[in-house]
mmCIF file with all atom_site columns, all heavy atoms in Angstrom:
data_model
loop_
_atom_site.group_PDB
_atom_site.id
_atom_site.type_symbol
_atom_site.label_atom_id
_atom_site.label_alt_id
_atom_site.label_comp_id
_atom_site.label_asym_id
_atom_site.label_entity_id
_atom_site.label_seq_id
_atom_site.pdbx_PDB_ins_code
_atom_site.Cartn_x
_atom_site.Cartn_y
_atom_site.Cartn_z
_atom_site.occupancy
_atom_site.B_iso_or_equiv
_atom_site.pdbx_formal_charge
_atom_site.auth_seq_id
_atom_site.auth_comp_id
_atom_site.auth_asym_id
_atom_site.auth_atom_id
_atom_site.pdbx_PDB_model_num
ATOM 1  N N   . VAL B 1 153 ? 2.472   -0.412 35.376 1.00 91.00 ? 174 VAL B N   1
ATOM 2  C CA  . VAL B 1 153 ? 3.663   -1.207 35.097 1.00 91.00 ? 174 VAL B CA  1
ATOM 3  C C   . VAL B 1 153 ? 4.714   -0.533 34.257 1.00 91.00 ? 174 VAL B C   1
ATOM 4  O O   . VAL B 1 153 ? 5.934   -0.843 34.323 1.00 91.00 ? 174 VAL B O   1
ATOM 5  C CB  . VAL B 1 153 ? 3.322   -2.593 34.640 1.00 91.00 ? 174 VAL B CB  1
ATOM 6  C CG1 . VAL B 1 153 ? 2.914   -2.651 33.215 1.00 91.00 ? 174 VAL B CG1 1
ATOM 7  C CG2 . VAL B 1 153 ? 4.439   -3.616 34.820 1.00 91.00 ? 174 VAL B CG2 1
ATOM 8  N N   . ASN B 1 154 ? 4.355   0.369  33.325 1.00 88.00 ? 175 ASN B N   1
ATOM 9  C CA  . ASN B 1 154 ? 5.250   1.084  32.581 1.00 88.00 ? 175 ASN B CA  1
ATOM 10 C C   . ASN B 1 154 ? 5.623   2.455  33.029 1.00 88.00 ? 175 ASN B C   1
ATOM 11 O O   . ASN B 1 154 ? 6.035   3.308  32.304 1.00 88.00 ? 175 ASN B O   1
ATOM 12 C CB  . ASN B 1 154 ? 4.644   1.124  31.129 1.00 88.00 ? 175 ASN B CB  1
ATOM 13 C CG  . ASN B 1 154 ? 3.487   1.948  30.939 1.00 88.00 ? 175 ASN B CG  1
ATOM 14 O OD1 . ASN B 1 154 ? 2.751   2.005  31.885 1.00 88.00 ? 175 ASN B OD1 1
ATOM 15 N ND2 . ASN B 1 154 ? 3.263   2.509  29.817 1.00 88.00 ? 175 ASN B ND2 1
ATOM 16 N N   . ASP B 1 155 ? 5.339   2.698  34.366 1.00 87.00 ? 176 ASP B N   1
ATOM 17 C CA  . ASP B 1 155 ? 5.688   3.908  35.034 1.00 87.00 ? 176 ASP B CA  1
ATOM 18 C C   . ASP B 1 155 ? 5.167   5.126  34.418 1.00 87.00 ? 176 ASP B C   1
ATOM 19 O O   . ASP B 1 155 ? 5.865   6.033  33.914 1.00 87.00 ? 176 ASP B O   1
ATOM 20 C CB  . ASP B 1 155 ? 7.179   4.097  35.177 1.00 87.00 ? 176 ASP B CB  1
ATOM 21 C CG  . ASP B 1 155 ? 7.833   2.923  35.989 1.00 87.00 ? 176 ASP B CG  1
ATOM 22 O OD1 . ASP B 1 155 ? 7.219   2.659  36.948 1.00 87.00 ? 176 ASP B OD1 1
ATOM 23 O OD2 . ASP B 1 155 ? 8.918   2.557  35.630 1.00 87.00 ? 176 ASP B OD2 1
ATOM 24 N N   . PRO B 1 156 ? 3.839   5.174  34.219 1.00 90.00 ? 177 PRO B N   1
ATOM 25 C CA  . PRO B 1 156 ? 3.242   6.402  33.626 1.00 90.00 ? 177 PRO B CA  1
ATOM 26 C C   . PRO B 1 156 ? 3.330   7.567  34.516 1.00 90.00 ? 177 PRO B C   1
ATOM 27 O O   . PRO B 1 156 ? 3.400   7.441  35.824 1.00 90.00 ? 177 PRO B O   1
ATOM 28 C CB  . PRO B 1 156 ? 1.758   6.010  33.441 1.00 90.00 ? 177 PRO B CB  1
ATOM 29 C CG  . PRO B 1 156 ? 1.516   5.100  34.517 1.00 90.00 ? 177 PRO B CG  1
ATOM 30 C CD  . PRO B 1 156 ? 2.705   4.316  34.670 1.00 90.00 ? 177 PRO B CD  1
ATOM 31 N N   . THR B 1 157 ? 3.218   8.804  33.990 1.00 92.00 ? 178 THR B N   1
ATOM 32 C CA  . THR B 1 157 ? 3.325   10.038 34.837 1.00 92.00 ? 178 THR B CA  1
ATOM 33 C C   . THR B 1 157 ? 1.964   10.353 35.400 1.00 92.00 ? 178 THR B C   1
ATOM 34 O O   . THR B 1 157 ? 1.784   11.058 36.451 1.00 92.00 ? 178 THR B O   1
ATOM 35 C CB  . THR B 1 157 ? 3.793   11.223 34.132 1.00 92.00 ? 178 THR B CB  1
ATOM 36 O OG1 . THR B 1 157 ? 3.139   11.289 32.909 1.00 92.00 ? 178 THR B OG1 1
ATOM 37 C CG2 . THR B 1 157 ? 5.342   11.040 33.838 1.00 92.00 ? 178 THR B CG2 1
ATOM 38 N N   . ILE B 1 158 ? 0.864   9.795  34.724 1.00 94.00 ? 179 ILE B N   1
ATOM 39 C CA  . ILE B 1 158 ? -0.561  10.174 35.187 1.00 94.00 ? 179 ILE B CA  1
ATOM 40 C C   . ILE B 1 158 ? -1.351  8.903  35.322 1.00 94.00 ? 179 ILE B C   1
ATOM 41 O O   . ILE B 1 158 ? -1.159  8.049  34.485 1.00 94.00 ? 179 ILE B O   1
ATOM 42 C CB  . ILE B 1 158 ? -1.174  11.037 34.182 1.00 94.00 ? 179 ILE B CB  1
ATOM 43 C CG1 . ILE B 1 158 ? -0.500  12.399 33.936 1.00 94.00 ? 179 ILE B CG1 1
ATOM 44 C CG2 . ILE B 1 158 ? -2.679  11.287 34.461 1.00 94.00 ? 179 ILE B CG2 1
ATOM 45 C CD1 . ILE B 1 158 ? -0.904  13.185 32.797 1.00 94.00 ? 179 ILE B CD1 1
ATOM 46 N N   . LEU B 1 159 ? -2.150  8.800  36.346 1.00 93.00 ? 180 LEU B N   1
ATOM 47 C CA  . LEU B 1 159 ? -2.979  7.586  36.519 1.00 93.00 ? 180 LEU B CA  1
ATOM 48 C C   . LEU B 1 159 ? -4.437  8.208  36.661 1.00 93.00 ? 180 LEU B C   1
ATOM 49 O O   . LEU B 1 159 ? -4.734  9.009  37.496 1.00 93.00 ? 180 LEU B O   1
ATOM 50 C CB  . LEU B 1 159 ? -2.650  6.908  37.726 1.00 93.00 ? 180 LEU B CB  1
ATOM 51 C CG  . LEU B 1 159 ? -3.622  5.611  37.998 1.00 93.00 ? 180 LEU B CG  1
ATOM 52 C CD1 . LEU B 1 159 ? -3.365  4.553  37.043 1.00 93.00 ? 180 LEU B CD1 1
ATOM 53 C CD2 . LEU B 1 159 ? -3.366  5.125  39.471 1.00 93.00 ? 180 LEU B CD2 1
ATOM 54 N N   . LEU B 1 160 ? -5.277  7.771  35.694 1.00 94.00 ? 181 LEU B N   1
ATOM 55 C CA  . LEU B 1 160 ? -6.671  8.234  35.725 1.00 94.00 ? 181 LEU B CA  1
ATOM 56 C C   . LEU B 1 160 ? -7.484  6.991  36.156 1.00 94.00 ? 181 LEU B C   1
ATOM 57 O O   . LEU B 1 160 ? -7.349  5.854  35.554 1.00 94.00 ? 181 LEU B O   1
ATOM 58 C CB  . LEU B 1 160 ? -7.110  8.597  34.242 1.00 94.00 ? 181 LEU B CB  1
ATOM 59 C CG  . LEU B 1 160 ? -6.285  9.659  33.580 1.00 94.00 ? 181 LEU B CG  1
ATOM 60 C CD1 . LEU B 1 160 ? -6.774  9.923  32.201 1.00 94.00 ? 181 LEU B CD1 1
ATOM 61 C CD2 . LEU B 1 160 ? -6.368  11.005 34.377 1.00 94.00 ? 181 LEU B CD2 1
ATOM 62 N N   . ALA B 1 161 ? -8.365  7.204  37.123 1.00 93.00 ? 182 ALA B N   1
ATOM 63 C CA  . ALA B 1 161 ? -9.278  6.038  37.554 1.00 93.00 ? 182 ALA B CA  1
ATOM 64 C C   . ALA B 1 161 ? -10.664 6.519  37.568 1.00 93.00 ? 182 ALA B C   1
ATOM 65 O O   . ALA B 1 161 ? -11.086 7.534  38.235 1.00 93.00 ? 182 ALA B O   1
ATOM 66 C CB  . ALA B 1 161 ? -8.743  5.650  39.031 1.00 93.00 ? 182 ALA B CB  1
ATOM 67 N N   . ASP B 1 162 ? -11.441 5.770  36.800 1.00 92.00 ? 183 ASP B N   1
ATOM 68 C CA  . ASP B 1 162 ? -12.878 6.113  36.670 1.00 92.00 ? 183 ASP B CA  1
ATOM 69 C C   . ASP B 1 162 ? -13.829 5.151  37.493 1.00 92.00 ? 183 ASP B C   1
ATOM 70 O O   . ASP B 1 162 ? -13.970 3.967  37.198 1.00 92.00 ? 183 ASP B O   1
ATOM 71 C CB  . ASP B 1 162 ? -13.251 6.019  35.195 1.00 92.00 ? 183 ASP B CB  1
ATOM 72 C CG  . ASP B 1 162 ? -14.741 6.533  34.910 1.00 92.00 ? 183 ASP B CG  1
ATOM 73 O OD1 . ASP B 1 162 ? -15.248 7.233  35.818 1.00 92.00 ? 183 ASP B OD1 1
ATOM 74 O OD2 . ASP B 1 162 ? -15.199 6.455  33.790 1.00 92.00 ? 183 ASP B OD2 1
ATOM 75 N N   . GLU B 1 163 ? -14.207 5.654  38.566 1.00 88.00 ? 184 GLU B N   1
ATOM 76 C CA  . GLU B 1 163 ? -15.046 4.963  39.582 1.00 88.00 ? 184 GLU B CA  1
ATOM 77 C C   . GLU B 1 163 ? -14.291 3.604  39.971 1.00 88.00 ? 184 GLU B C   1
ATOM 78 O O   . GLU B 1 163 ? -14.882 2.538  39.754 1.00 88.00 ? 184 GLU B O   1
ATOM 79 C CB  . GLU B 1 163 ? -16.366 4.692  39.039 1.00 88.00 ? 184 GLU B CB  1
ATOM 80 C CG  . GLU B 1 163 ? -17.215 5.878  38.753 1.00 88.00 ? 184 GLU B CG  1
ATOM 81 C CD  . GLU B 1 163 ? -17.872 6.659  39.848 1.00 88.00 ? 184 GLU B CD  1
ATOM 82 O OE1 . GLU B 1 163 ? -17.544 6.160  41.052 1.00 88.00 ? 184 GLU B OE1 1
ATOM 83 O OE2 . GLU B 1 163 ? -18.577 7.561  39.777 1.00 88.00 ? 184 GLU B OE2 1
ATOM 84 N N   . PRO B 1 164 ? -13.128 3.651  40.318 1.00 86.00 ? 185 PRO B N   1
ATOM 85 C CA  . PRO B 1 164 ? -12.381 2.433  40.521 1.00 86.00 ? 185 PRO B CA  1
ATOM 86 C C   . PRO B 1 164 ? -12.869 1.492  41.568 1.00 86.00 ? 185 PRO B C   1
ATOM 87 O O   . PRO B 1 164 ? -12.560 0.289  41.583 1.00 86.00 ? 185 PRO B O   1
ATOM 88 C CB  . PRO B 1 164 ? -10.950 2.887  40.849 1.00 86.00 ? 185 PRO B CB  1
ATOM 89 C CG  . PRO B 1 164 ? -11.077 4.214  41.480 1.00 86.00 ? 185 PRO B CG  1
ATOM 90 C CD  . PRO B 1 164 ? -12.278 4.843  40.736 1.00 86.00 ? 185 PRO B CD  1
#
Side-chain angles (χ1 to χ4, degrees):
Chain B
V174 74
N175 63 333
D176 297 323
T178 50
I179 300 170
L180 180 70
L181 306 175
D183 189 8
E184 302 281 4

